[in-house]
Amino acid sequence: MNIAAPVLDQLSIVADTLRARTLEVLSRQELTVSELCDVLQLPQSTVSRHLKVLADEGWVSARAEGATHRYRATPEAAGVSAVRLWQLVKPEVAQTPAARQDADRLREVLARRHGRSRQFFASEAGQWDRLRDDLFGRRFELQLLLSLLDPDWVVGDLGCGTGHFAAAIAPFVRQVIAVDESGPMLAAARARLASAANVDLREGELELLPVHEMELDLAVLSLVLPYVPEPARVLAETERALQPGGRLAIVDLQPHDRAEFGHGLGQVWMGFSAQQLTGWLTAAGLRQVRYVPLAPEPSARGPGLFLATARKPD
């Protein structure tokens, strides 16, 4: 491909009517060879031959999508002279009867393409959740929400356990301070977070956080409060560690009567009501408290969860 070819050397490219129509269509929409055949009403051998000429001279480019290639017009890759020439030729080509018919057929091809998507979702609607989970897992939506965090934030994962949440949030913020009082839990977290340079693991009690005053922009308590004797004290310590305007997010158990959670899992509290938690948070000096019960996952066997948020006044 000679991208420096003068405009006279480019004339033969667009002088051919079929190549000019091909460029006009591909300047409107990226298409596969079969779709282009339907639009131009030409056999595949003819379309492929003209595409090769255009590709060799840089007028079109191809993008692989699995076993399929999608083509689009790229006169800019053929040089400035090609761009100038196409700016002159394109309006003339577009006004020809053949090009107008191509445009009509292009709309039909795109409608069929969209129809295949609609047909898929119409037939798979009942299975889409399962299929999406099988293909992509259940955590990709969490990644979307985490991307909304301020990248300059310092986040406290308080009661971090094995570091599951710290590992998820670390790529999106400046620093994660992960705190747990259990040595074995921290050892597991340290192994999981070995490649996360911005995670600071600290051993200590939640009632006496190893965190400086106003060190955190966001604090997270995930399935932690049922294990502590004095949740109100933990919330007061968390408030101390937050910057003015900092936020607290809590995911934990709604009130329940599942006694096995006390005996088998060592929990001290049987969940928390909105009134109870709001009282503690308000007493700790936090405001804008919100308590939202979460819809249970079909496969979950534990008590219902809630999400609570609060903010430290500026």
Side-chain angles (χ1 to χ4, degrees):
M1 178 181 66
N2 180 13
I3 63 173
V7 68
L8 291 176
D9 294 342
Q10 304 279 4
L11 287 174
S12 62
I13 299 294
V14 294
D16 184 280
T17 302
L18 292 182
R19 284 200 290 270
R21 286 172 57 197
T22 300
L23 285 169
E24 162 62 14
V25 171
L26 294 181
S27 68
R28 294 173 179 265
Q29 182 68 45
E30 186 181 58
L31 297 172
T32 66
V33 171
S34 62
E35 289 173 333
L36 194 54
C37 290
D38 289 343
V39 171
L40 299 175
Q41 294 290 283
L42 294 171
Q44 182 173 331
S45 58
T46 301
V47 170
S48 296
R49 184 174 70 253
H50 286 296
L51 280 176
K52 185 178 186 308
V53 173
L54 291 168
D56 288 345
E57 295 299 324
W59 283 75
V60 301
S61 63
R63 176 177 63 87
E65 192 174 83
T68 302
H69 285 79
R70 296 186 179 275
Y71 292 84
R72 63 186 179 91
T74 55
E76 64 277 4
V80 175
S81 60
V83 173
R84 292 203 310 267
L85 179 59
W86 185 237
Q87 288 172 343
L88 291 172
V89 174
K90 185 180 188 302
E92 299 293 330
V93 175
Q95 294 304 314
T96 63
R100 287 197 293 269
Q101 292 173 7
D102 292 342
D104 292 338
R105 286 190 291 265
L106 175 61
R107 285 190 287 272
E108 294 176 7
V109 166
L110 295 179
R112 287 203 303 269
R113 184 194 288 181
H114 185 56
R116 286 194 294 271
S117 297
R118 285 186 299 192
Q119 182 179 6
F120 168 79
F121 285 109
S123 63
E124 296 292 335
Q127 302 296 322
W128 174 239
D129 287 345
R130 178 192 59 77
L131 179 62
R132 185 180 61 176
D133 290 346
D134 289 344
L135 292 175
F136 309 113
R138 295 186 176 185
R139 296 187 63 202
F140 71 93
E141 289 171 328
L142 171 64
Q143 305 296 314
L144 183 151
L145 295 175
L146 291 177
S147 70
L148 300 177
L149 296 174
D150 190 319
D152 290 328
W153 273 3
V154 176
V155 177
D157 183 5
L158 309 182
C160 66
T162 60
H164 179 82
F165 180 72
I169 200 172
F172 300 96
V173 296
R174 177 162 59 89
Q175 185 183 29
V176 178
I177 297 174
V179 178
D180 207 283
E181 67 175 48
S182 167
M185 285 287 193
L186 282 175
R190 191 168 289 109
R192 168 176 271 161
L193 298 162
S195 61
N198 65 332
V199 177
D200 181 3
L201 290 165
R202 301 180 186 178
E203 185 170 354
E205 299 178 1
L206 299 185
E207 295 89 341
L208 192 62
L209 287 172
V211 178
H212 296 304
E213 187 173 345
M214 298 188 297
E215 190 173 2
L216 305 177
D217 297 288
L218 169 67
V220 175
L221 291 162
S222 179
L223 300 178
V224 170
L225 292 180
Y227 293 94
V228 299
E230 299 180 79
R233 186 177 169 190
V234 172
L235 297 176
E237 263 292 273
T238 303
E239 188 276 342
R240 177 192 64 80
L242 284 172
Q243 291 265 12
R247 298 179 179 275
L248 168 63
I250 302 170
V251 174
D252 228 313
L253 306 183
Q254 298 180 47
H256 65 89
D257 58 2
R258 304 274 291 275
E260 69 271 20
F261 277 74
H263 298 304
L265 297 179
Q267 294 184 351
V268 181
W269 294 83
M270 304 281 281
F272 306 96
S273 68
Q275 181 180 3
Q276 183 181 40
L277 193 66
T278 299
W280 286 338
L281 291 168
T282 302
L286 295 164
R287 299 294 181 264
Q288 299 178 17
V289 177
R290 188 181 184 199
Y291 181 107
V292 180
L294 300 179
E297 292 194 24
S299 60
R301 296 185 293 112
L305 300 176
F306 68 84
L307 171 64
T309 56
R311 185 174 181 271
K312 183 173 180 175
D314 293 321

